[in-house]
Amino acid sequence: MVTRLVLVLGDQLSDDLSALREGDAATDVVVMAEVQAETDYVPHHPKKIAFLFAAMRKHAERLRAAGWTVRYTTLDDPENTHSIPGELLRAADATGATEAIATEPGEFRLISALEDGPLPVHMFPDDRFLCSHAEFEDWAEGRKELRMEWFYREMRRKTGFLMDGDQPEGGKWNYDHDNRKPPKAGLDAPRPMRFTPDETVEEVLELVRARFGNRYGSLDDFWFATEPGQARRALAHWVKTALPRFGDFQDAMVKGEPFMFHALLSPYINAGLLGWREVCEAAIDAYRAGDAPLNAVEGFVRQIIGWREYIRGVYFREGPDYTSRNALEATRDLPEFYWTAETDMACVAECVSTTMTEAYAHHIQRLMVTGNFALLAGLDPHQVHEWYLVVYADAYEWVEAPNVIGMSQFADGGVVGSKPYVSGGNYINRMSDYCKSCAYSVSQKTGAGACPFNLLYWHFLDRHRDRFEGNPRMAQMYRTWDRMDADRRGTVIAEGDEILARLDRGERI
Ligand code: FAD
Ligand code: DLZ
Ligand code: SF4
């Protein structure tokens, strides 16, 4: 019998994986490896590395229990070649295998490395997603605009989720309109389910602390789930304690409450500990049982079968050059405060500091605080993309890049978004309590102490006028700008210039 190698990557920890289905536990050998090429292609947050290594080690044990022979290389193995193709080759030498099978990785970088490696690797589709590459291509073909909403409706019909015959449950496809409530005083957001590190996790924490303890991000107070059973308990806990209010306060931000009513499931889903179907069904069951309202459940289902699948479709359709796109020709370096949280802008300081401690920020924090500032300040989108890839426990290029390069930075020129997600301080003030404790004044539009978002918002619109003034969704903003007194406009631009100059000089803002 010929032995083949079955590659299982750190974000492929699902029992039902195409490579495992193609392999044969009786003759083939599973290869899993902790390697520096993956920990260091960007300097990932230590919590993300610890989460993945612990989950990988436990997955290897589950595969062994299911009858597989597993070659698992730990990071500190002296024989470790520290790359995935290197570990496949070493395994081939040891077992006599002449070929490997794999599930397609979620990054072009690694797909190329496998294609170009010395050992032939047969890649099978990653069918843990609802929508295949071919299906997304069919949907996208011939469309002038790839709007998520139309894609989402197809996925609703395909799954039958929240459908009443061929009509959407409750008569509307999308209840987003109900999901924009500002936070109110005394909102008691529930805590996500936390898991005390067991022996495997403790071992990994020790290794990660020794190797990566000095890089950006805190490893303290590690509480992630690292196996499917735990992740399922976290899902059940969220459905019970937070889903009912998830919709209402989806966009709200409160100082000291980084999680609000969000699911915190993305690291688990993206690594393969949970699947799209089970998370959606858990939410829909709660709706059917009368335990969660439709706006919350539809909102959640849309994130999973709509946004998540759409974003992946865009990544694979747009191709490997996507992360170097820069439609707005933004070139400013990422300011140091993205790594330190040392800024007087309370909103940015809050989002960056919980990112450092938790490897997490929720969607609106990523989009309308750190992302919004980067776009307004004209930061180099590639540096912004690398930052997001480093700092979040759920970040892999297939999902991070279209969210950052596309949705947040408009660097793809409008593939993902029909207009840039920019706002002044008013939006942040409406949706959060951050401005109350800020050194800047959100109501001040110019002069000492004026909120930088207010100044840079108009600065952005003004400097990109040629591109955006013809966009019907932005016409109102340009009309407001044009109605402003010319002197005032001059002051806004000059003060915006000064903020950008201070950023360039590395001064605190
Ligand atoms: P919830 O708000 O509770 O949402 C539920 C689930 O929906 C998430 O777990 C996630 O699986 C899915 N989801 C929601 N929105 C999106 C989206 N836009 N794209 C893909 N899936 C979505 N998500 C990642 O998984 N990895 C990333 O690297 C990532 N980078 C982002 C960068 C920026 C600039 C922005 C604006 C968004 C990014 N997102 C990313 C999407 C979203 O912010 C996260 O999925 C979400 O914050 C994860 O937290 P949660 O599980 O509590 O999500
Ligand atoms: C993110 C990551 C990290 C930090 N380390 C490893 C690793 O050591 N071994 C591994 O197999 N996978 C790791 N990963 C996940 C891969 O980077 C991921 O599979 C690719 O980015 C494709 O999505
Ligand atoms: Fe952020 Fe401006 Fe509010 Fe300060 S005043 S928290 S900088 S939006």
Side-chain angles (χ1 to χ4, degrees):
M1 278 291 195
V2 185
T3 296
R4 292 169 305 173
L5 304 176
V6 181
L7 176 66
V8 175
L9 293 166
D11 55 353
Q12 298 181 339
L13 309 179
S14 315
D15 295 334
D16 189 17
L17 188 74
S18 57
L20 291 170
R21 256 185 275 124
E22 294 292 333
D24 182 345
T27 51
D28 297 339
V29 172
V30 170
V31 175
M32 297 180 72
E34 301 168 2
V35 293
Q36 278 170 13
E38 297 308 309
T39 58
D40 292 5
Y41 69 94
V42 291
H44 296 287
H45 195 302
K47 273 204 172 118
K48 175 181 185 181
I49 301 176
F51 161 65
L52 274 188
F53 284 7
M56 284 169 70
R57 289 181 186 198
K58 292 182 179 189
H59 188 63
E61 283 315 311
R62 282 198 304 280
L63 291 176
R64 286 188 183 114
W68 287 94
T69 305
V70 181
R71 263 181 74 97
Y72 190 100
T73 313
T74 55
L75 193 77
D76 52 5
D77 182 336
E79 307 287 311
N80 193 332
T81 58
H82 285 298
S83 79
I84 296 294
E87 284 310 283
L88 282 176
L89 198 59
R90 208 159 65 82
D93 284 346
T95 60
T98 54
E99 58 177 340
I101 46 186
T103 293
E104 181 186 69
E107 298 192 359
F108 289 116
R109 172 189 63 80
L110 203 47
I111 294 175
S112 305
L114 293 183
E115 283 170 350
D116 302 343
L119 194 74
V121 181
H122 306 283
M123 274 182 259
F124 293 91
D126 190 345
D127 52 15
R128 296 173 300 162
F129 291 86
L130 168 61
C131 181
S132 68
H133 297 334
E135 195 179 351
F136 192 82
E137 282 305 313
D138 274 358
W139 173 77
E141 197 51 45
R143 283 174 195 267
K144 251 173 66 201
E145 291 185 325
L146 303 184
R147 290 294 151 251
M148 197 291 295
E149 183 62 28
W150 309 124
F151 170 79
Y152 165 55
R153 292 181 188 185
E154 301 259 321
M155 295 301 109
R156 285 274 293 278
R157 290 193 185 96
K158 181 176 173 182
T159 53
F161 285 167
L162 298 176
M163 294 298 291
D164 188 359
D166 62 355
Q167 290 305 306
E169 183 90 18
K172 282 201 296 184
W173 289 100
N174 183 320
Y175 290 83
D176 217 13
H177 187 68
D178 302 341
N179 291 357
R180 292 181 191 143
K181 294 199 176 53
K184 51 184 186 210
L187 254 193
D188 53 334
R191 299 274 107 184
M193 183 165 266
R194 304 164 72 90
F195 297 90
T196 308
D198 56 23
E199 207 178 311
T200 307
V201 178
E202 286 292 2
E203 258 175 43
V204 164
L205 288 173
E206 203 176 307
L207 171 78
V208 172
R209 197 176 298 284
R211 293 289 183 110
F212 308 110
N214 290 334
R215 64 169 57 163
Y216 163 92
S218 164
L219 196 54
D220 295 343
D221 195 21
F222 181 93
W223 54 262
F224 288 159
T226 49
E227 52 193 81
Q230 292 178 339
R232 264 177 229 124
R233 281 168 57 206
L235 166 66
H237 173 81
W238 173 74
V239 166
K240 195 162 169 229
T241 61
L243 173 63
R245 285 182 289 172
F246 167 78
D248 286 356
F249 299 108
Q250 203 174 340
D251 292 359
M253 301 175 279
V254 173
K255 195 169 158 51
E257 292 289 356
F259 312 121
M260 296 299 286
F261 300 94
H262 290 271
L264 271 99
L265 294 174
S266 49
Y268 310 150
I269 304 173
N270 294 351
L273 302 186
L274 292 173
W276 61 266
R277 183 180 292 283
E278 63 187 311
V279 298
C280 287
E281 285 177 351
I284 293 167
D285 286 351
Y287 168 65
R288 300 265 176 247
D291 294 334
L294 186 55
N295 69 309
V297 174
E298 185 282 317
F300 179 70
V301 167
R302 174 160 26 91
Q303 308 308 314
I304 301 286
I305 65 167
W307 277 111
R308 186 169 182 271
E309 296 283 336
Y310 165 85
I311 283 289
R312 177 172 182 264
V314 167
Y315 178 74
F316 281 99
R317 179 177 161 82
E318 291 298 311
D321 81 316
Y322 191 74
T323 57
S324 37
R325 297 202 193 157
N326 191 354
L328 301 183
E329 297 176 10
T331 55
R332 183 158 285 107
D333 285 338
L334 192 81
E336 191 58 20
F337 60 70
Y338 274 79
W339 302 110
T340 61
E342 285 170 15
T343 165
D344 294 330
M345 294 180 287
C347 52
V348 177
E350 174 74 5
C351 297
V352 172
S353 71
T354 50
T355 296
M356 284 159 72
T357 52
E358 305 289 354
Y360 178 82
H362 73 64
H363 188 71
I364 292 302
Q365 295 176 310
R366 297 186 203 196
L367 186 64
M368 298 311 293
V369 179
T370 44
N372 187 13
F373 184 84
L375 181 55
L376 293 179
L379 305 188
D380 172 358
H382 193 77
Q383 293 183 38
V384 178
H385 145 72
E386 291 205 328
W387 182 80
Y388 277 96
L389 196 53
V390 166
V391 302
Y392 292 116
D394 57 21
Y396 306 89
E397 204 175 88
W398 68 265
V399 55
E400 172 275 335
N403 271 302
V404 175
I405 296 287
M407 187 189 302
S408 168
Q409 299 302 295
F410 205 82
D412 66 1
V415 177
V416 171
S418 55
K419 76 175 184 54
Y421 275 102
V422 281
S423 82
N426 268 346
Y427 173 85
I428 295 173
N429 190 36
R430 189 166 68 250
M431 297 313 299
S432 80
D433 63 356
Y434 297 153
C435 302
K436 286 185 198 150
S437 55
C438 187
Y440 294 102
S441 161
V442 72
S443 57
Q444 214 173 312
K445 310 294 181 207
T446 55
C451 166
F453 283 83
N454 290 343
L455 293 164
L456 293 178
Y457 174 72
W458 294 120
H459 197 282
F460 174 90
L461 288 183
D462 189 62
R463 70 180 187 266
H464 293 297
R465 180 159 204 141
D466 286 351
R467 177 177 281 270
F468 294 126
E469 81 174 326
N471 182 329
R473 298 187 64 200
M474 298 179 75
Q476 179 57 40
M477 300 170 189
Y478 280 102
R479 276 199 293 275
T480 308
W481 176 234
D482 290 342
R483 272 200 303 269
M484 237 183 253
D485 177 81
D487 280 354
R488 190 170 165 76
R489 272 185 277 146
T491 307
V492 169
I493 297 300
E495 292 185 7
D497 280 341
E498 179 51 23
I499 289 185
L500 296 177
R502 283 170 60 196
L503 279 179
D504 291 340
R505 292 194 296 266
E507 290 172 15
R508 185 177 174 108
I509 67 157

